[in-house]
Amino acid sequence: MEKLQVFALCFLVGSFCSVAGALLQSDKQALLDFASKFAHLRPLNWNEQYPVCKNWTGVTCSEDGNRVISVRLPGVGFHGPIPENTLSRLSALKILSLRSNGITGTFPPDFGNLKNLTFLYLQHNNFSGPLPVDFSVWRNLTIVNLSNNGFNGSIPRSLSSLSQLIALNLANNSLSGELPDLNLPNLQLLNLSHNNLVGSVPKSLQRFPKSVFLGNSESLLDYTVTSSPIVLAPHDHNRRAKTVGKLSERALLGIVIAGSVLVILGFGFLLLVCLLKRKTVEGFAGKLEKGDMSPEKAISRSQDASNKLVFFEGCNYAFDLEDLLRASAEVLGKGTFGTAYKAILEDATMVVVKRLKDVNVGKREFEQQMDVIGSIKHENVIELRAYYYSKDEKLMVYDYYSQGSVASMLHGKRGDNRTPLDWETRVNIAIGAARGIARIHMENGGKLVHGNVKSSNIFLNSRQFGCVSDLGLSTIMSSLAPPIARAAGYRAPEVTDTRKATQPSDVYSFGVILLELLTGKSPVHTTNGDEIVHLVRWVHSVVREEWTAEVFDVELLRYPNIEEELVEMLQIAMACVVRMPDQRPKMSEVAKMIENVRLAETNRASSEAKSENSTPMPRSPGL
Ligand SMILES: *[C@@H]1O[C@H](CO)[C@@H](O)[C@H](O)[C@H]1NC(C)=O
Ligand SMILES: *[C@@H]1O[C@H](CO)[C@@H](O)[C@H](O)[C@H]1NC(C)=O
Ligand SMILES: *[C@@H]1O[C@H](CO)[C@@H](O)[C@H](O)[C@H]1NC(C)=O
Ligand SMILES: *[C@@H]1O[C@H](CO)[C@@H](O)[C@H](O)[C@H]1NC(C)=O
Ligand SMILES: *[C@@H]1O[C@H](CO)[C@@H](O)[C@H](O)[C@H]1NC(C)=O
Ligand SMILES: *[C@@H]1O[C@H](CO)[C@@H](O)[C@H](O)[C@H]1NC(C)=O
Ligand SMILES: *[C@@H]1O[C@H](CO)[C@@H](O)[C@H](O)[C@H]1NC(C)=O
Ligand SMILES: *[C@@H]1O[C@H](CO)[C@@H](O)[C@H](O)[C@H]1NC(C)=O
């Protein structure tokens, strides 16, 4: 009825009103009805006068701004049953979080209308009665958390139809009966503990550890765990299955041949590694020599008074160029602007020496730029300690960070014994790096550009916050084209010449780092089909087609209650990587936005703690 009225209104207003606008209008009305019929302890700032998509707490719209796709209202103090025919009218809804409220009543039958529902978080409420009989109406459900409620009755067999399901948490309810055989190949997280289940664990679920069945009938624990579930991104799962199915005999023969070649190559590689290992203890001078400059020549230059290591104020290193040349050196990596070495001096001091190639400016200009860079003292910017300039050799000396770069932490070999970067650390990396870049953008009359923002230039400072390095070089180097593949993933579309990097292009590159932190994927990576994928394009396509958990790093889905933060961070990243440079936020604004993600969560957590401890709260007027 209401939709019809809105359409009629549109008809009258004529060209000003589009069908899309009408859909948003009806979503807005559904939310207003929900808020007015559903008692809550904390106020919602849902003001009819302000735009739903931009201003309403906990509400997110689709990219085109035509539909509400997510409602996240944890710990607002809702109590009583969810009013009928309110939320269920948000037919495009993908994310619903009403966790940690005091909601009672049964699972709302009209939620069956929310066919696109992908994430459902209703944990920590007081729901009762049976679970929905037919789960097959929500084909896209990916994460379902109904834990810590009073649901009773049996576990529906129809859960089997949720082929996208990654996480299912029904712990701490009053579910009874036997466990059905659930064939859920993508399921990675399961918790059925603290219910009244009886019987035995079906084969399909025996890959999960016994801890997920604790607190039920003892008989459930009587099985041997089959090999634990392989952690695969759901995307890969489908793809791999398809590829295997298509293998022909010829392909198999190819694999056998390729396999033998690999073995031979492997031996070669081992040999090479041994040779390289011996090389690494070779002195730094030796490295320079390879760059067409003999150590003697370099040293003799160092004795030339005008060519010596220039240290910055406040630097308490006590070594000179000769010490540096005698130091043992190890290649850390070849970057966009040159090669970085780890140099260990005789007194065991470790520094990073960056050897620039293709510097395109004279001595004076070089020194001026070094002074600008060296004057930045900020806990999120890696300090330049010293530099060296001669006609043939330009060096920069930085502190050494033993933990390695964020790139290696994220993309280093997975599985095995690698500890995943937890969400807290990832947020702190983002906050630190954003503050560091924002600080750089204030320098030189607000004109300094970092010019090479990428995860291999971000390290962790002593407080485990991000800290940026390798700044301010793009303008003094000759232009670099074509860029090496990896760097290309960070480059803003408008930057065709690395010398022309700008502050908005730094923001773009930073957005790519945020996406790396969220997805765990490299900025440019190849798929099984050898297809080269640009992270930004990939995220765009996933977000456009289906807002699912697929976009997030599987390692992150293990942390409880962070979905709101993940989605907010994704939105910040998307704002940074928009195509038009002038539409990107300023770096200082980005830093603020990221800080707010955390702040909001801290506030939320403390107020939830209050509501969960049922501290009486004053009933607020308004909505
Ligand atoms: C919504 O808009 C009002 C008025 O512009 C502002 O005071 C308020 O902070 C905004 N709220 C949010 C969550 O953006
Ligand atoms: C559900 O999601 C798909 C893909 O994002 C979209 O095409 C479709 O319109 C959505 N359904 C509704 C009712 O909005
Ligand atoms: C589920 O997601 C797919 C894309 O993966 C989309 O096409 C579809 O419309 C969504 N909704 C339903 C009900 O399948
Ligand atoms: C939950 O609901 C039951 C009745 O269904 C009631 O007895 C109980 O006190 C409620 N618990 C809380 C924490 O509100
Ligand atoms: C579930 O709980 C309700 C009361 O909340 C009760 O009436 C019903 O019989 C219970 N169902 C089962 C299967 O235990
Ligand atoms: C189960 O939920 C009740 C409240 O519903 C809570 O008091 C209890 O601590 C929970 N148990 C576990 C193991 O989480
Ligand atoms: C399952 O849930 C229970 C109760 O909420 C909790 O105590 C337990 O740690 C969870 N187990 C796993 C494996 O997540
Ligand atoms: C579900 O909620 C519980 C309780 O808050 C939490 O411990 C768990 O991590 C959540 N699981 C998922 C997959 O979100």
Side-chain angles (χ1 to χ4, degrees), residues 45 61 72 79 110 133 143 187 196 210 283 287 445 496 511 518 528 622:
N45 80 331
C61 296
R72 289 166 283 148
H79 46 95
D110 60 1
V133 176
I143 298 183
L187 193 65
N196 307 320
K210 297 190 180 182
K287 301 280 179 195
T496 47
L518 285 166
N528 296 339

Side-chain angles (χ1 to χ4, degrees), residues 125 148-149 172 194:
N125 279 293
N148 298 286
N149 277 292
N172 206 13
H194 302 286

Side-chain angles (χ1 to χ4, degrees), residues 45 50 54-57:
N45 80 331
Y50 296 136
K54 296 222 169 83
N55 194 275
W56 288 23
T57 332

Side-chain angles (χ1 to χ4, degrees), residues 191-210:
N191 196 343
L192 301 176
S193 65
H194 302 286
N195 280 290
N196 307 320
L197 300 167
V198 295
S200 58
V201 173
K203 263 222 156 49
S204 56
L205 299 178
Q206 290 183 0
R207 61 194 162 106
F208 290 98
K210 297 190 180 182

Side-chain angles (χ1 to χ4, degrees), residues 136-364:
S136 69
V137 293
W138 302 286
R139 284 200 327 225
N140 288 349
L141 267 182
T142 306
I143 298 183
V144 176
N145 201 336
L146 304 177
S147 66
N148 298 286
N149 277 292
F151 287 115
N152 69 3
S154 56
I155 294 182
R157 192 170 292 276
S158 64
L159 279 166
S160 258
S161 56
L162 302 179
S163 59
Q164 308 286 323
L165 201 62
I166 292 179
L168 176 66
N169 195 337
L170 301 175
N172 206 13
N173 280 287
S174 305
L175 299 167
S176 55
E178 291 200 21
L179 260 173
D181 195 3
L182 296 176
N183 176 29
L184 294 164
N186 280 331
L187 193 65
Q188 291 178 26
L189 298 171
L190 176 70
N191 196 343
L192 301 176
S193 65
H194 302 286
N195 280 290
N196 307 320
L197 300 167
V198 295
S200 58
V201 173
K203 263 222 156 49
S204 56
L205 299 178
Q206 290 183 0
R207 61 194 162 106
F208 290 98
K210 297 190 180 182
S211 61
V212 315
F213 305 110
L214 283 177
N216 288 289
S217 155
E218 286 290 318
S219 61
L220 261 78
L221 304 181
D222 190 20
Y223 70 97
T224 344
V225 181
T226 53
S227 64
S228 56
I230 321 153
V231 178
L232 265 187
H235 206 73
D236 293 347
H237 195 282
N238 297 336
R239 212 168 261 215
R240 200 155 299 176
K242 267 181 231 148
T243 349
V244 170
K246 272 195 229 142
L247 276 185
S248 66
E249 266 174 52
R250 244 171 73 197
L252 274 174
L253 191 67
I255 288 173
V256 171
I257 294 172
S260 356
V261 172
L262 269 183
V263 169
I264 296 167
L265 280 178
F267 271 112
F269 179 71
L270 273 181
L271 241 143
L272 199 71
V273 167
C274 291
L275 283 173
L276 281 178
K277 269 249 166 80
R278 275 175 44 199
K279 280 263 172 65
T280 53
V281 289
E282 161 192 72
F284 192 68
K287 301 280 179 195
L288 293 191
E289 188 176 22
K290 300 233 161 47
D292 293 325
M293 184 183 189
S294 73
E296 292 76 22
K297 223 162 130 196
I299 289 168
S300 71
R301 265 172 216 283
S302 80
Q303 276 143 5
D304 173 354
S306 64
N307 284 335
K308 57 179 188 215
L309 270 180
V310 180
F311 286 94
F312 287 99
E313 215 176 307
C315 171
N316 45 17
Y317 284 142
F319 58 84
D320 57 21
L321 190 64
E322 263 179 82
D323 297 327
L324 196 57
L325 290 169
R326 270 201 306 270
S328 72
E330 184 184 319
V331 177
L332 287 174
K334 285 200 198 324
T336 318
F337 301 133
T339 306
Y341 302 88
K342 169 175 147 190
I344 307 172
L345 296 153
E346 270 163 5
D347 68 353
T349 307
M350 283 189 259
V351 291
V352 172
V353 179
K354 181 134 196 177
R355 189 176 181 211
L356 302 179
K357 58 166 197 251
D358 305 324
V359 170
N360 199 31
V361 294
K363 186 169 184 194
R364 252 196 70 188

Side-chain angles (χ1 to χ4, degrees), residues 121 123-124 143 145 147-148 167 169 189 557-561:
Y121 300 94
Q123 69 267 32
H124 285 293
I143 298 183
N145 201 336
S147 66
N148 298 286
N169 195 337
L189 298 171
L557 298 180
R558 292 176 183 279
Y559 301 100
N561 306 334

Side-chain angles (χ1 to χ4, degrees), residues 485-525:
R486 212 169 219 251
Y490 292 99
R491 218 178 40 178
E494 75 276 9
V495 177
T496 47
D497 175 342
T498 46
R499 286 176 53 96
K500 304 265 165 64
T502 59
Q503 294 192 348
S505 73
D506 278 352
V507 172
Y508 181 96
S509 310
F510 178 78
V512 177
I513 293 183
L514 283 186
L515 292 178
E516 270 182 276
L517 290 168
L518 285 166
T519 62
K521 290 185 161 42
S522 295
V524 177
H525 55 273

